[in-house]
């Protein structure tokens, strides 16, 4: 119901207006009255009416001043000015303020009611448009995250000008103006696992909470890299403030994970601070080198390049009896082979060799042992995910025929990098095959259920036994569009079929493709197809 407030200093006129209209019967709620603007103002802010009817000439505060103040606080309110003065200056000021109607006294109840109903139609239409926009923005929230990630990729891979970067950032409601930039690569693997939760990608709410807490901080922006990792962009005015931002990131992560009901692990790698936003790729490259060492440094910390140069074995002497085999922790290499990235293999191997000790690695015997252990670990990882190791042997060679691999430290390192990259290639092939079957099932479910208004990211994710967060990331990466974009595209294609081949009305088509609200369907159709359903049908 539309709420109306009346301000008029002449009590006879005020009572006449109030009593000449059957407010509830006409669809209005009369919420208050006052004799001047000064008394009316606090009452209007409290009641928040949809329509304000006010005289111009009143003591203490006139109608124009009241209108000006009310519009500042309630910009959507519709104001009807009642005036005994047919003066151009009054009317001009009323227009400037944004008054809906300027009526000359005396005004009959019939005329006033006619104007009220006209203004009400505008209010209803504006409310409807706002609700449609709210729905659309809620649907597009997932798209914004996808657009953010694509924007970061463009910064790192394309030669964008500063003007282009700032313009694209502004479109995403991001202010990237700063004196200093740095990046943190964050992985939260181990927040939960399939063994602990009973499903792949569990802990989705925890990932969302981490993102939310970080995004609430000024000068911090998060970008998804995978289902369990982010790039965090830190903005600061100087080095001291940048150090504080990095400390804040860790504090935020700990505040979330301290309340996590399952096992919590994270690792952050700090890049190199840069003064120009176009140099971000250099900061990320530095962070990548640190990030590759996460299996050597231990979890639950955020480290920089100064923290990865330690050589814990530099004083170790080599002999057959003291090869320090304990330093060959198979879980370190196994962890990297399971979750590391191909581009990180070289950095990982540099740190892995450093951790084993420079003197140890000079030993031919020790290098043979290291290589054999890595080879067997790689085969074990591949066999654990159902991959036949025959092709691995073809590409990496049979271990007994590798004499040339051990000629020098560099030969050994080069071979091991090749071994790691090959293993990751095979792992990714298996993963894509698995993801492919999951996405095929998800797409099939969407095709069969797109007409159900209740279909959502959550319901589709549950049908393929993935958490919503993980499913959203995999879907976007594999399909090149977000879930809601795909669902909307399927629905719009079906709607176009029905518009072409049936005599159904727009409201019926909306319901047939999963929208109970025909107005929202028409809004989305025009947004995505650049014409209304009626216009599309007339083109056929």
């Amino acid at each position: 119901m539309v709420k109306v407030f009346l301000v008029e200093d002449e009590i006879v006129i005020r009572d006449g207006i109030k009593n000449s209209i059957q407010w509830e019967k006409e669809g209005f709620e009369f919420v208050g009255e006052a004799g001047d603007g000064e008394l009316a103002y606090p009452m209007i802010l409290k009641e928040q009416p949809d329509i304000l009817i006010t005289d111009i000439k009143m003591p203490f505060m006139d109608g124009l001043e009241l209108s000006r103040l009310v519009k500042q606080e309630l910009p959507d309110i519709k104001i009807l000015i009642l005036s005994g003065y047919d003066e151009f200056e009054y009317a001009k000021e009323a227009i400037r303020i944004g008054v809906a109607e300027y009526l000359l006294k005396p005004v009959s109840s019939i005329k006033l009611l006619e104007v009220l109903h006209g203004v009400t139609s505008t209010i209803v239409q504006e409310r409807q448009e706002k609700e449609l926009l709210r729905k659309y923005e809620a649907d597009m929230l997932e798209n914004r995250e996808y657009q953010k990630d694509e924007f970061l990729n463009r910064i790192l891979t394309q030669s964008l000008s500063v003007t282009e970067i700032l313009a694209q950032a502004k479109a995403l409601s991001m202010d990237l103006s700063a004196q200093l930039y740095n990046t943190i690569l964050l992985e939260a693997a181990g927040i939960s696992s399939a063994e602990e939760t009973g499903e792949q990608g569990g802990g989705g709410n925890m990932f969302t909470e981490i993102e939310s807490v970080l995004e609430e901080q000024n000068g911090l922006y998060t970008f998804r890299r995978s289902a369990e990792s982010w790039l965090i962009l830190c903005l600061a005015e100087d080095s001291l403030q940048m150090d504080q931002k990095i400390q804040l990131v860790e504090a935020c992560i700990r505040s979330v994970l301290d309340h996590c009901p399952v096992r919590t692990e994270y690792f952050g790698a700090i890049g190199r601070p840069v003064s120009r936003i176009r140099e971000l790729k250099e900061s990320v490259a530095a962070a990548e080198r640190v990030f590759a060492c996460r299996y050597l440094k231990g979890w639950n910390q955020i480290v920089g390049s100064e923290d990865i140069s330690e050589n814990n074995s530099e004083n170790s002497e080599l002999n057959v009896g003291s090869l320090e085999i304990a330093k060959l922790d198979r879980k370190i290499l196994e962890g990297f082979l399971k979750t590391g990235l191909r581009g990180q293999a070289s950095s990982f191997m540099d740190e892995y060799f450093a951790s084993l000790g420079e003197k140890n690695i000079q030993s031919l015997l020790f290098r043979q042992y290291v290589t054999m252990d890595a080879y067997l670990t790689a085969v074990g990882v591949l066999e654990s995910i159902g991959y036949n190791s025959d092709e691995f042997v073809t590409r990496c060679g049979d271990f007994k025929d590798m004499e040339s691999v051990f000629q020098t430290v560099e030969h050994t390192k080069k071979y091991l990098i090749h071994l790691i990259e090959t293993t990751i290639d095979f792992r990714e092939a298996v993963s894509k095959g698995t993801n492919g079957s999951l996405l095929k099932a998800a797409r099939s479910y969407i095709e069969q259920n797109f007409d159900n208004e209740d279909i959502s990211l959550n319901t589709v994710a549950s049908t393929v036994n993935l958490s919503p967060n993980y499913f959203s990331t995999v879907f976007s990466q594999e399909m090149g569009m977000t879930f809601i974009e795909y669902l909307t595209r399927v629905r719009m294609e079906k709607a176009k079929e029905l518009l072409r081949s049936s005599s159904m009305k727009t409201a019926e088509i909306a319901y047939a493709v999963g929208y109970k609200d025909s107005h929202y369907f028409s809004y989305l159709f025009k947004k995505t197809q650049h014409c209304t359903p009626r216009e599309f049908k007339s083109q056929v």
Side-chain angles (χ1 to χ4, degrees), residues 295-323:
Y295 301 99
L296 299 168
K297 293 300 297 180
W299 291 74
N300 296 325
Q301 59 177 326
I302 294 180
V303 302
S305 57
E306 69 277 6
D307 300 312
I308 63 169
S309 58
E310 299 174 6
N311 185 344
N312 296 323
S313 308
E314 62 185 13
N315 295 319
S316 58
E317 294 294 334
L318 176 73
N319 58 59
V320 175
S322 61
L323 286 180

Side-chain angles (χ1 to χ4, degrees), residues 473-486:
T473 301
V474 170
F475 194 95
S476 297
Q477 289 175 345
E478 297 295 326
M479 297 294 294
M481 68 179 75
T482 63
F483 165 79
I484 196 65
E485 284 178 323
Y486 183 80

Side-chain angles (χ1 to χ4, degrees), residues 456-472:
S456 67
L457 178 73
N458 288 2
T459 58
V460 178
S462 68
T463 65
V464 292
N465 296 316
L466 296 179
S467 72
N469 256 47
Y470 186 78
F471 174 70
S472 175

Side-chain angles (χ1 to χ4, degrees), residues 125-410:
Q125 183 177 349
E126 288 178 355
R127 284 179 178 174
Q128 191 177 76
E129 289 174 354
K130 279 189 174 182
E131 178 59 20
L132 295 180
L133 184 60
R134 185 197 64 76
K135 277 187 176 182
Y136 182 74
E137 287 176 345
D139 280 350
M140 293 301 112
L141 184 61
E142 182 193 1
N143 286 6
R144 182 180 180 277
E145 294 305 310
Y146 178 69
Q147 289 165 0
K148 274 177 53 184
D149 297 341
E150 287 296 294
F151 170 55
L152 177 67
N153 184 58
R154 288 194 295 274
I155 293 178
L156 300 180
T157 60
Q158 300 177 17
S159 298
L160 298 180
S161 69
V162 174
T163 301
E164 289 173 321
I165 291 173
L166 294 180
Q168 292 181 31
K170 186 176 181 180
L172 293 167
S173 301
M174 299 167 64
D175 181 5
L176 298 188
S177 301
Q179 296 295 314
L180 200 61
Y181 304 89
N182 205 344
T183 53
I184 300 174
L185 298 182
L186 173 68
E187 183 170 318
I191 282 182
S192 59
S193 65
E195 293 80 7
E196 292 168 330
T197 63
E199 69 172 72
Q200 186 175 357
N205 290 338
M206 190 61 63
F207 292 126
T208 303
E209 191 173 347
I210 288 174
E211 289 176 359
S212 298
V213 169
L214 291 173
E215 287 281 5
E216 287 172 2
Q217 313 303 321
N218 290 329
L220 294 180
Y221 295 101
T222 61
F223 301 87
R224 269 293 176 99
R225 281 163 48 93
S226 70
E228 298 179 338
S229 65
W230 301 267
L231 182 146
I232 303 168
L233 176 58
C234 305
L235 280 62
E237 295 307 307
D238 51 46
S239 298
L240 177 61
Q241 190 181 69
M242 183 61 75
D243 290 341
Q244 293 171 344
K245 286 285 173 70
I246 292 170
Q247 291 171 14
L248 177 62
V249 168
E250 187 154 24
C252 287
I253 296 167
R254 287 186 180 276
S255 70
V256 174
L257 300 189
D258 282 348
H259 299 93
C260 184
V262 291
R263 182 170 59 89
T264 60
E265 290 184 349
Y266 69 91
F267 183 87
I270 305 168
R272 181 174 71 81
V274 294
S275 57
R276 301 177 188 275
I277 196 166
R278 294 181 65 186
E279 298 172 346
L280 271 184
K281 60 185 71 176
E282 298 173 19
S283 178
V284 175
E288 288 279 11
R289 288 191 290 272
V290 180
F291 194 64
C293 308
R294 60 196 182 280
Y295 301 99
L296 299 168
K297 293 300 297 180
W299 291 74
N300 296 325
Q301 59 177 326
I302 294 180
V303 302
S305 57
E306 69 277 6
D307 300 312
I308 63 169
S309 58
E310 299 174 6
N311 185 344
N312 296 323
S313 308
E314 62 185 13
N315 295 319
S316 58
E317 294 294 334
L318 176 73
N319 58 59
V320 175
S322 61
L323 286 180
E324 298 195 72
I325 301 302
K327 291 189 178 296
L328 280 168
D329 186 349
R330 181 170 288 187
K331 290 182 179 179
I332 293 174
L333 180 59
E334 186 178 289
F336 186 80
L337 291 174
K338 286 182 176 180
T339 62
L341 300 177
R342 196 180 197 279
Q344 299 167 350
S346 180
S347 297
F348 172 81
M349 191 49 60
D350 285 343
E351 290 301 316
Y352 190 58
F353 268 35
S355 72
L356 296 176
E358 183 179 348
K359 292 182 179 178
N360 280 349
I361 213 69
Q362 294 296 327
S363 163
L364 173 63
L365 179 62
F366 192 63
R367 291 202 304 279
Q368 288 175 333
Y369 186 91
V370 168
T371 306
M372 180 178 67
D373 189 69
Y375 191 95
L376 294 176
T377 301
V379 170
V381 166
L382 291 176
E383 289 181 346
S384 72
I385 59 176
Y387 201 93
N388 189 318
S389 59
D390 290 346
E391 190 175 348
F392 174 81
V393 172
T394 300
R395 284 181 57 177
C396 292
D398 192 321
F399 188 76
K400 63 178 181 291
D401 300 322
M402 293 186 185
E403 185 174 341
S404 62
V405 168
F406 310 116
Q407 290 180 359
T408 66
V409 171
E410 286 306 312

